Amino acid sequence: MYHKTYKKGTGRQSRLALVGKLGLMTGVVTLSLAACGSTSSSASTSTKATPASTQLTIEGNTAPATVNNLNPYNGQFGVDLMYNSLMLVDPINGTMSPELATSFKAVNSTTLEFTLRKGVKWSNGTPFTPADVVFTFDMLKKYPALDGGGVWNQLSSVTASGDTIIFKLSVPDVPLNLSLASVPIVSQAVWSKVANPVTYTATSPVVTGPYTFGSFAPTKTVFKKNPLSFEASDVKPQTVAFLVGSASQSTNELLVANDTYDFSFNYFPDVQRTFVARNPKYNKYWFPAGGVVGLFMNLTSAPFNNPNFRRGISYAINRKTVENKALFGVEQVAPQTGLVLPGQLSWADPAIPNDGMITQNDQTALKYFKLAGYSQKNGKLVNSAGQQVSFSIMVPNNYSDWVAAAQEISSELGKVGMNVTLNEPTAAVYTTNTQSGLFQAAMGSFGGSGNAYSTFNPLLNSSFAAPIKSIAVSNWGRFKSAAVDRELAKLAAATTNSAMIKATYPLQEVMYTQAPVIDLYYGGMWGLYSTKHWVGWPSAKNPYTLPATWDDDLLAILMHVRPA
Amino acid sequence: MRYFLRKLAMFALTLWAAVTLNFIIPRLMPGSPVQAALSRLAGTGQTVTEAMKRAVEIQLGLPHTSLWAQYGDYLIGIMHLRFGMTYSITDVSVTRAILAAAPWTIVLVGTSTVIAFVIGTLLGVYAGWRRQTKVDSAVTIGSTFFSAFPPFFLGLLLLYFLGFKYHMFPLTGGYTPGAVPHLTLSFLGDAVYHSILPAVTLVVTSLAGWVLGMRNNMINTLGEDYVLFAEANGLRDRTIALLYVARNALLPNVTGFGLALGAVIGGSVLVESIFGYPGIGSLLLLAVNNRDYPLMQAIFLLITVSMLVTIFVVDLLYGLLDPRVRGT
C-alpha cells in the first residue's frame, strides 16, 4: 500500500479531531453487521440513486464504520460540514475568512478578539449565543482529550463581552488565532447535559453549519442541507454522501477510476494514465504542495553538527532528480527557506537569492565541505583523520516515495565521495528512533499549514530539543539556538501581518545558511475529482483551498462547487 | 480414560502457553499505538506537539500499570470474555468488533473451504482412478498451476477484469454501500453476490492441496490387495473407485479438512483486504496497522484457541476411531 493513503482524514491544521480522524485514515474504523438489523435507519431510501445533480459523493473511510460517531472532535468524515468554527482558515497562506465570527483582531500579543456574527441559529431553531463559544472552550479545558490543538497550553481565559469573544493568553502567541479559529463550536444547551463529551457520539447533532445529519449505514453516511444555517444558500449540493473506499490501494484505484466518487483523496502513481485517461473529459486532479519533504539530520554529532557540512550536502543534492524518483515530477522542488511556494511567496525574504531555491553544484558543495574540514581524497570525502564520511538515512520501509528519494540522495552523495546507506525500519520504529534522536539522517516532512509560525517553531525551537534517548515530538535534529528562540518569540508576538512576515526573515535566513534540515521537494495533497456532476473544484488556476476531504478545506470546497 | 485425561492436560497446558505468548508477543513489537497515530500525523507535515500526544493517550485510554498487573487483568478479562475497547475504532469494544466481523469470515472462508474440499477431493479421486491419463495430467497440472497464483494476484486479476472492465461484479465490500446488514432475502442475495469473487479466489488457490493429497492417497490405496480382490470379483469400476478406494483414501484428507475448518476463523487477510470484505482478516490488518493490542490479542487468541480446540477434537476422534493410538 502506498503510504500517502495515510493522509486520509488527518487534519493538517492543528485541529482537534485528532484520534477519530487518524483512525479514519489507515482504513481504520471498521466493519459492520453490528448485530443484524440494529441500525434502524433508512437504508432502503439511501441506497436509491439520488439524482446526480443534487448529491455530491466523496470517498470516506476505507472500511465500514461500526458506530455513527458525529462528535465534531473525533467523529467520522463529514462532521466538518455540520459544525462551524469561528473562522475558516486557508491552508495555503494561513488567512482567515468569516464563519461564526466575522472579524478578528489582535489587541496585543496576549489578547485576541473575535467578533461574532449576528442572527445565527442552531439547527433546532434556538439562537446561537456568545455563551456557546465560551462554553465550548471551557469544555476543552476540562477535557484535554478534546483539545487536540492544545490551545489551553497558551490560553489563560476565554470571556464574552457583547458579541466579542476575548481570548487572554498566558504567553505571547498571536499565531494561536488559527488554532482558536478552527475549534468546532457546540451548543451549550445540548453539550452541557452530556456526561462525557469525549465518547459522546452526538447522533442527533444540533449544529450551525450548512449541513446536518441525514442517514447512516456502515458503508455510507449522508449529510443533508441544514435549512436554518446562515450558509444554507452558499452550498449547492442538497446532500453530501461519504461512501466507503477500500483499504487496498489497488482496489481503491479501480474504485476511483470507476467513477464511484465525485471527489476523493488518493495518491495515484502516474495519475495521467491511471486516472485522467480513463475519462479525460471529466477526470481531473490537483496535487498542490501540502508540506515540505526534507532530509533531517542529527545535529548533535559529527559531521552534522557543522553547518558548513550541512550546506555542502544541500549543494550536493539535485532536488529535481530526487523529486522525479519519488513522485515522477508531479510536485515542485522546495526552497531551502522552509516556505511552501507559491502559496507563501509574499513571505519570502527578498535578501535571499532566487527565493531560496538551491541549484546542485559540486564545486560549491566541496567548498563548504572544505570549510567544515572535509576534503576529497582518491574520490572519497574524508575528514582530517583521513576517514571517509559515511552515514545512513533512516526511512520507513513502506513509504515507497521516501525510499526512492533516499536512494537517489544516497547515490548523489556517493558521487561526491560519501558512503551513504539506507536504514529501512518499520514506520513505528522509524518514529521512535527519530523522536529519540537515535538516527544519523532521516527522511521527514514538516510545515504545510500555510502558517509560518507553525512551520518554524516546531522545527527550530530549542524547547522541543529533548536530550538524546528522550522523546522529542518535533525538532528531531535537536537544533538549539538562543538567538533563534528569540526570533521565534518575536514572531509569536507580532500582531500585524507585515510584522509577522518581517519576523520570519531571520528564520528563513537560518534555514538557508545553516540548513538544519535539507528541504527537498513538496509533499502533495492528492485531490482527484470529476467534473461530470459538479464543477468549481480547487485547482492551480483557482487555488482557494487545498483539495482535502476533511477540515476547513472540505467546507470551503462545498461553498465553491456548483452543478455542472 | 487415561488417554483422554492426558490429552486434556496437554490441551490445558498448551492453551495456557498460547494465551501467555499471546499477551507477550504484541508487546515485543516495536512502536506504540500513540506513536503509530502520531507518526501518521507527522507524515502529513503537521506539527505534533506534546499536548496532542497527551490528547491521543487520553482518547486511547492507554494502560499505565505494570506488565504483571496488565497480565492479571488480561487473564481475568479472558475468563469473562472481556477484551476491553479497541484503539482503532472510537468507542467500540473488542468483543463487539469481533462479533460483527466473524459472521462474514465464517460464511465466506468456511463455505470456500468446504467447496474447495469437496471439489478438490472429487477431482483427486477421479485423477487417482484415472492415473497416468490425460485427465490426470490436466487435473493435477491445472490445479497446481492455479494454486501457484498468490491469492492477492488472482484476486486483483478477477477484480480488474470481471469487476472493473466488464462490471459483472462489485469492486469492494461485503454488500452494497448504504445498505444496513439485516436478515432479509434481498440483503443476503446482495451479500452472496459480493462474496462470489473472493470465494472464487479462495477456492481456486486452495484446490491443489486437496486434489494432490487425495490423488496420492488413492494411488497408494489402489495398490492394496483388497482392491485387486474386488477387481478379480468383477465389481463395477465406479463401485471400486468410490466404495473401496476413495472411502479409505479419504481419511487423511478428512483430518486435513478438520484442521482447515479450525483455521477458518482467522480469515484470509490478503483476500479480505483486496475485496474490502468486512471480516476478521480485514480487522486483523486494521489492528496491526494501529498497534491495537486489545484487538490484536483477542483475534490471535481466537485463532489459537479455535485451532487448539480443533486439534484436540481431532485427537479425541482418532482415539475413538483407532484403538492403536490410545496405547494402553
Side-chain angles (χ1 to χ4, degrees):
Chain A
M1 193 193 309
Y2 207 84
H3 84 91
K4 290 302 179 190
T5 50
Y6 282 149
K7 285 196 169 172
K8 193 159 294 174
T10 335
R12 274 173 321 87
Q13 307 290 329
S14 300
R15 183 69 186 259
L16 301 171
L18 204 57
V19 174
K21 295 223 168 164
L22 281 170
L24 301 171
M25 279 189 313
T26 32
V28 174
V29 182
T30 21
L31 47 136
S32 50
L33 201 82
C36 288
S38 71
T39 344
S40 58
S41 86
S42 51
S44 47
T45 54
S46 63
T47 44
K48 265 180 219 153
T50 314
S53 57
T54 65
Q55 178 156 300
L56 187 142
T57 308
I58 301 175
E59 182 183 11
N61 290 330
T62 50
T66 316
V67 173
N68 181 23
N69 184 359
L70 300 174
N71 186 317
Y73 304 104
N74 57 23
Q76 58 193 289
F77 274 101
V79 290
D80 314 282
L81 298 174
M82 301 196 299
Y83 293 90
N84 282 124
S85 56
L86 290 177
M87 295 185 111
L88 206 56
V89 178
D90 183 333
I92 295 175
N93 55 24
T95 55
M96 303 194 296
S97 53
E99 276 285 304
L100 288 175
T102 47
S103 68
F104 164 77
K105 191 170 78 176
V107 180
N108 55 51
S109 62
T110 55
T111 310
L112 309 178
E113 286 185 3
F114 287 87
T115 305
L116 297 184
R117 185 188 295 270
K118 287 187 177 65
V120 175
K121 278 202 165 65
W122 291 104
S123 49
N124 63 1
T126 56
F128 160 79
T129 66
D132 290 316
V133 181
V134 176
F135 168 81
T136 299
F137 280 92
D138 286 345
M139 183 176 73
L140 260 49
K141 185 182 187 183
K142 204 170 154 199
Y143 297 96
L146 302 178
D147 189 9
V151 294
W152 277 100
N153 280 4
Q154 285 90 353
L155 273 181
S156 63
S157 74
V158 180
T159 50
S161 159
D163 281 335
T164 305
I165 307 291
I166 303 155
F167 294 92
K168 290 273 189 197
L169 312 187
S170 51
V171 288
D173 188 357
V174 178
L176 187 70
N177 66 349
L178 301 182
S179 303
L180 295 172
S182 301
V183 171
I185 304 297
V186 298
S187 151
Q188 179 175 14
V190 175
W191 285 69
S192 59
K193 294 192 189 79
V194 174
N196 182 357
V198 179
T199 54
Y200 177 51
T201 51
T203 43
S204 326
V206 172
V207 296
T208 56
Y211 289 91
T212 185
F213 174 62
S215 66
F216 169 81
T219 46
K220 186 182 189 181
T221 312
V222 180
F223 299 91
K224 60 178 190 210
K225 208 182 247 197
N226 170 11
L228 291 183
S229 167
F230 62 95
E231 287 167 331
S233 58
D234 298 336
V235 291
K236 299 289 175 279
Q238 287 302 318
T239 53
V240 178
F242 286 83
L243 219 57
V244 76
S246 170
S248 150
Q249 174 75 13
S250 327
T251 313
N252 230 11
E253 285 183 18
L254 295 181
L255 275 173
V256 173
N258 204 26
D259 231 354
T260 316
Y261 316 105
D262 293 311
F263 177 34
S264 77
F265 186 89
N266 277 295
Y267 174 73
F268 280 14
D270 196 0
V271 62
Q272 192 66 38
R273 199 173 56 82
T274 49
F275 176 65
V276 177
R278 305 258 189 224
N279 198 343
K281 196 171 165 203
Y282 300 122
N283 288 3
K284 306 275 157 68
Y285 74 98
W286 188 39
F287 289 172
V292 178
V293 176
L295 184 68
F296 286 68
M297 294 155 290
N298 192 332
L299 313 185
T300 60
S301 59
F304 303 115
N305 54 3
N306 189 319
N308 281 321
F309 183 83
R310 304 195 296 261
R311 274 195 102 167
I313 290 188
S314 177
Y315 277 99
I317 294 174
N318 183 339
R319 289 163 172 75
K320 193 62 218 167
T321 53
V322 171
E323 191 281 332
N324 264 316
K325 295 280 178 191
L327 293 176
F328 311 95
V330 298
E331 288 298 338
Q332 300 297 310
V333 298
Q336 189 52 41
T337 51
L339 298 179
V340 176
L341 304 179
Q344 290 179 312
L345 198 55
S346 61
W347 293 71
D349 181 354
I352 295 175
N354 201 13
D355 292 329
M357 294 293 181
I358 287 181
T359 318
Q360 192 254 357
N361 186 328
D362 282 350
Q363 291 316 310
T364 318
L366 289 172
K367 189 185 87 190
Y368 281 111
F369 287 140
K370 190 150 202 161
L371 284 173
Y374 297 84
S375 54
Q376 264 185 335
K377 207 182 218 170
N378 303 331
K380 290 178 176 172
L381 192 73
V382 295
N383 64 9
S384 51
Q387 290 162 316
Q388 189 186 14
V389 174
S390 104
F391 63 90
S392 67
I393 302 176
M394 191 158 61
V395 54
N397 56 13
N398 60 333
Y399 287 25
S400 50
D401 55 342
W402 287 10
V403 171
Q407 277 163 347
E408 175 65 16
I409 291 171
S410 152
S411 99
E412 288 182 10
L413 293 181
K415 284 183 198 142
V416 293
M418 294 186 206
N419 174 25
V420 181
T421 52
L422 258 60
N423 173 9
E424 303 177 47
T426 62
V429 174
Y430 161 87
T431 311
T432 311
N433 288 355
T434 45
Q435 293 187 344
S436 317
L438 302 175
F439 68 103
Q440 293 178 295
M443 296 295 296
S445 65
F446 66 90
S449 65
N451 172 275
Y453 184 70
S454 67
T455 301
F456 292 121
N457 191 50
L459 208 55
L460 303 175
N461 199 322
S462 307
S463 68
F464 291 110
I468 297 295
K469 289 189 182 163
S470 310
I471 297 286
V473 288
S474 56
N475 192 357
W476 304 332
R478 272 72 178 167
F479 182 81
K480 276 185 191 162
S481 157
V484 168
D485 291 346
R486 280 195 297 277
E487 298 297 343
L488 286 167
K490 270 191 219 163
L491 174 57
T495 52
T496 65
N497 204 39
S498 60
M500 277 185 219
I501 291 177
K502 284 238 164 57
T504 64
Y505 290 172
L507 299 169
Q508 296 180 42
E509 201 83 31
V510 166
M511 289 291 290
Y512 190 72
T513 58
Q514 300 193 25
V517 173
I518 314 282
D519 304 350
L520 297 170
Y521 58 90
Y522 298 127
M525 296 294 288
W526 317 116
L528 301 174
Y529 46 83
S530 160
T531 54
K532 192 172 181 180
H533 307 305
W534 301 97
V535 295
W537 304 98
S539 64
K541 280 192 193 118
N542 186 14
Y544 57 84
T545 190
L546 292 176
T549 54
W550 57 87
D551 269 9
D552 289 352
D553 317 42
L554 178 64
L555 188 53
I557 289 170
L558 260 296
M559 307 252 234
H560 281 80
V561 294
R562 53 193 192 280
Chain B
M1 200 59 207
R2 249 185 77 198
Y3 171 77
F4 294 109
L5 284 180
R6 215 169 57 221
K7 282 284 160 205
L8 197 66
M10 269 311 281
F11 175 70
L13 190 70
T14 327
L15 190 65
W16 172 79
V19 163
T20 305
L21 279 178
N22 188 45
F23 173 81
I24 297 171
I25 290 170
R27 283 168 175 74
L28 294 180
M29 283 172 61
S32 77
V34 175
Q35 278 166 359
L38 292 182
S39 74
R40 264 178 263 131
L41 194 67
T44 68
Q46 174 160 358
T47 309
V48 176
T49 64
E50 199 58 49
M52 288 183 184
K53 201 173 141 200
R54 264 200 307 283
V56 174
E57 280 176 355
I58 298 169
Q59 285 210 348
L60 295 181
L62 292 188
H64 287 287
T65 49
S66 75
L67 267 187
W68 283 111
Q70 286 180 41
Y71 182 60
D73 289 346
Y74 165 76
L75 288 182
I76 295 168
I78 285 176
M79 287 167 204
H80 294 87
L81 288 182
R82 208 175 51 216
F83 299 98
M85 307 298 282
T86 79
Y87 302 156
S88 323
I89 316 165
T90 318
D91 212 26
V92 170
S93 73
V94 168
T95 313
R96 183 170 168 199
I98 289 181
L99 282 180
W104 294 97
T105 288
I106 291 171
V107 171
L108 174 70
V109 186
T111 315
S112 308
T113 306
V114 172
I115 293 177
F117 171 74
V118 171
I119 297 182
T121 305
L122 288 177
L123 282 178
V125 169
Y126 196 67
W129 184 247
R130 302 247 179 261
R131 63 191 182 284
Q132 314 291 348
T133 63
K134 278 181 188 161
V135 183
D136 177 26
S137 310
V139 168
T140 317
I141 296 174
S143 64
T144 315
F145 174 75
F146 279 110
S147 303
F149 274 90
F152 69 90
F153 183 64
L154 182 66
L156 281 177
L157 282 183
L158 290 175
L159 260 193
Y160 182 76
F161 287 104
L162 301 184
F164 183 73
K165 268 246 140 83
Y166 300 109
H167 299 282
M168 289 161 66
F169 291 98
L171 285 172
T172 191
Y175 48 90
T176 303
V180 175
H182 55 297
L183 287 173
T184 63
L185 219 54
S186 66
F187 179 79
L188 290 180
D190 187 44
V192 167
Y193 176 52
H194 278 74
S195 70
I196 292 177
L197 287 188
V200 166
T201 309
L202 287 172
V203 168
V204 167
T205 52
S206 64
L207 213 52
W210 305 119
V211 173
L212 295 184
M214 194 59 202
R215 175 183 174 273
N216 295 345
N217 293 337
M218 283 288 287
I219 290 174
N220 274 335
T221 317
L222 279 168
E224 298 283 344
D225 289 343
Y226 63 82
V227 178
L228 197 64
F229 180 68
E231 279 171 352
N233 274 342
L235 291 180
R236 277 195 314 168
D237 268 12
R238 210 172 56 193
T239 315
I240 299 177
L242 290 177
L243 293 182
Y244 278 66
V245 185
R247 215 170 143 184
N248 286 298
L250 196 61
L251 275 176
N253 246 27
V254 169
T255 316
F257 180 58
L259 295 183
L261 282 185
V264 159
I265 190 68
S268 168
V269 173
L270 282 174
V271 171
E272 286 186 20
S273 79
I274 284 167
F275 290 99
Y277 209 75
I280 298 279
S282 300
L283 194 63
L284 182 59
L285 184 69
L286 172 79
V288 172
N289 278 341
N290 289 292
R291 301 288 175 280
D292 187 344
Y293 298 143
L295 189 55
M296 248 190 282
Q297 267 176 305
I299 295 177
F300 285 138
L301 188 74
L302 189 68
I303 294 173
T304 324
V305 170
S306 63
M307 214 50 218
L308 284 177
V309 169
T310 321
I311 292 173
F312 182 60
V313 169
V314 168
D315 260 2
L316 291 188
L317 284 178
Y318 252 74
L320 283 179
L321 294 176
D322 190 346
R324 283 171 304 176
V325 183
R326 260 180 272 166
T328 48

